[in-house]
Amino acid sequence: MSVVKVTEHGVFGEGEEVFGGTFVPEALETALHRVADAFAKYKDDPQFIEEYNYYLKEYVGRENPLYFAQNLTAKLGGAKIYLKREDLNHTGAHKINNTIGQILLAKRMGAKRIIAETGAGQHGVATATVAALFNIPCTIYMGEVDMERQALNVFRMELLGSKVVAAKSGNRTLKEAVDEALMDFAMNHEDTFYLLGSAVGPHPYPLMVRHFQSVIGREAKAQVLAKEGRLPDYVIACVGGGSNAIGLFYPFVDDSSVNMIGVEPGGKGLSTGYHAAPLTFGKPDVIHGFRCYVMDDPDKCHSIAAGLDYPGVGPEHSYYKAIGRAEYVAVEDHEALSAFVELSKTEGIIPALESSHAVAYAMKLAPTLDKDKIIIINLSGRGDKDVAQVSEMLSQLTDILNQ
Ligand SMILES: *Cc1c(COP(=O)(O)O)cnc(C)c1O
């Protein structure tokens, strides 16, 4: 029996401390039921699986390697470090695993239109990519402020043929984009599919996104067994909404010898309030239609990595924390920045700033472990998108140091 207790309505846990579920207006409930029914119908359908696997192989480029980071391992002098190379996927991150799965479902549901929300633009680009591939019109909601900050991603989405709509209410960032996408979905669900980007939101999205991202952990498990003949001691991933982490963790969840560590963005320091680490420093609440750990002050949500700054977190991670199956820690902006530079120099691999959080924690952990221990880090994305930002930050830092 699995340690994961979840109902068919996506409620994780038992008794008082439960997470997930569906907290939405009635109009949206109907829309979500249709998605849940379709997902239940197709997820084990042999033709659906065959098509999903075809695109993962031929379009995304899976399977990607589990690379032994020999230079980093030698330099740190402790546990063996392996990198699961999601950064080598088409579009440069793990998000495409999920967007392929969901758009195939949308197609089966007869959707004439795709909608999505995006913060930094990475999920928007992954969605616009599959909308182009399957030739389905796509509208992406994005906060007006985010559109200015991420102008290049707006251009990418438009280049791929999608329409980007500015969310102009409130703070004009991710929260408002989610609200507008949900409203659109409630009104248009007869012919519109809402393609959600992380293991968050109301049921069935957390379970559906886990399903499509679990390919990461399944591959990693087979690869480490082939290379080492045994399971890893630690699996480590960064946690924004939690999709790359749950994708790596889930296939190991019932292997009790495998320690699972989720690394949240500690931002400018937990005590400053400017972070995005609800599991390390928050409390259970309802946000965006589901129950999970939420930051005390969501308005202060901040991370150096745009893909991690979400004030809530997936319900399954909230549950793993509650039952003690996984450990959640925070890594600050400056530590992630150092890890970004360190992995680039030692392995010739430039990681995404998001993934750099997982690398930073592994760099602290590895030297404290024996040489026969094994760590797998999920390298959720490549850092090409971040080099301009990092170059700017490092030159400011040099200016300050030279003053
Ligand atoms: C979006 C993103 C993340 C954070 O999302 P999760 O759902 O927590 O995985 C992490 N890494 C990269 C490269 C991303 O693009």
Side-chain angles (χ1 to χ4, degrees), residues 97-305:
N97 304 326
N98 172 51
T99 56
I100 291 274
Q102 285 195 44
I103 203 154
L104 289 175
L105 189 66
K107 227 177 62 166
R108 287 201 172 36
M109 291 176 73
K112 304 266 178 299
R113 179 171 169 262
I114 298 292
I115 57 171
E117 84 299 335
T118 196
Q122 288 146 243
H123 172 57
V125 170
T127 303
T129 299
V130 296
L133 176 64
F134 291 99
N135 192 25
I136 304 180
C138 178
T139 299
I140 295 175
Y141 289 97
M142 189 168 185
E144 196 172 34
V145 171
D146 288 335
M147 282 179 72
E148 280 163 29
R149 283 195 292 218
Q150 306 286 343
L152 215 50
N153 274 340
V154 174
F155 177 68
R156 282 195 184 96
M157 291 180 255
E158 289 171 349
L159 183 64
L160 291 159
S162 283
K163 194 169 126 194
V164 182
V165 174
K168 297 183 176 177
S169 61
N171 286 341
R172 297 175 291 148
T173 60
L174 179 61
K175 182 182 176 303
E176 291 73 30
V178 173
D179 290 342
E180 297 209 6
L182 286 172
M183 213 144 58
D184 182 327
F185 189 39
M187 288 188 308
N188 300 307
H189 66 87
E190 300 286 337
D191 69 351
T192 297
F193 185 92
Y194 181 17
L195 208 162
L196 207 151
S198 187
V200 298
H203 178 69
Y205 287 99
L207 286 173
M208 182 157 67
V209 175
R210 177 187 81 185
H211 181 79
F212 292 131
Q213 291 293 1
S214 290
V215 63
I216 302 171
R218 278 198 309 274
E219 281 183 9
K221 193 172 191 172
Q223 289 168 317
V224 75
L225 287 174
K227 286 172 199 285
E228 294 280 352
R230 71 176 186 89
L231 292 172
D233 300 286
Y234 292 86
V235 290
I236 302 181
C238 66
V239 177
S243 70
N244 87 88
I246 208 69
L248 176 65
F249 292 178
Y250 186 64
F252 293 102
V253 76
D254 290 317
D255 301 309
S256 58
S257 68
V258 180
N259 297 290
M260 312 195 301
I261 302 181
V263 186
E264 293 191 301
K268 298 179 182 180
L270 295 177
S271 60
T272 67
Y274 290 99
H275 58 80
L279 291 165
T280 333
F281 206 73
K283 55 181 185 318
D285 204 348
V286 171
I287 185 174
H288 294 148
F290 70 107
R291 196 175 149 79
C292 66
Y293 277 85
V294 180
M295 289 171 66
D296 290 334
D297 188 353
D299 284 340
K300 283 187 168 175
C301 188
H302 159 85
S303 169
I304 191 175

Side-chain angles (χ1 to χ4, degrees), residues 309-323:
D309 67 359
Y310 182 64
V313 66
E316 190 157 356
H317 289 293
S318 302
Y319 171 62
Y320 287 5
K321 175 187 164 73
I323 62 170

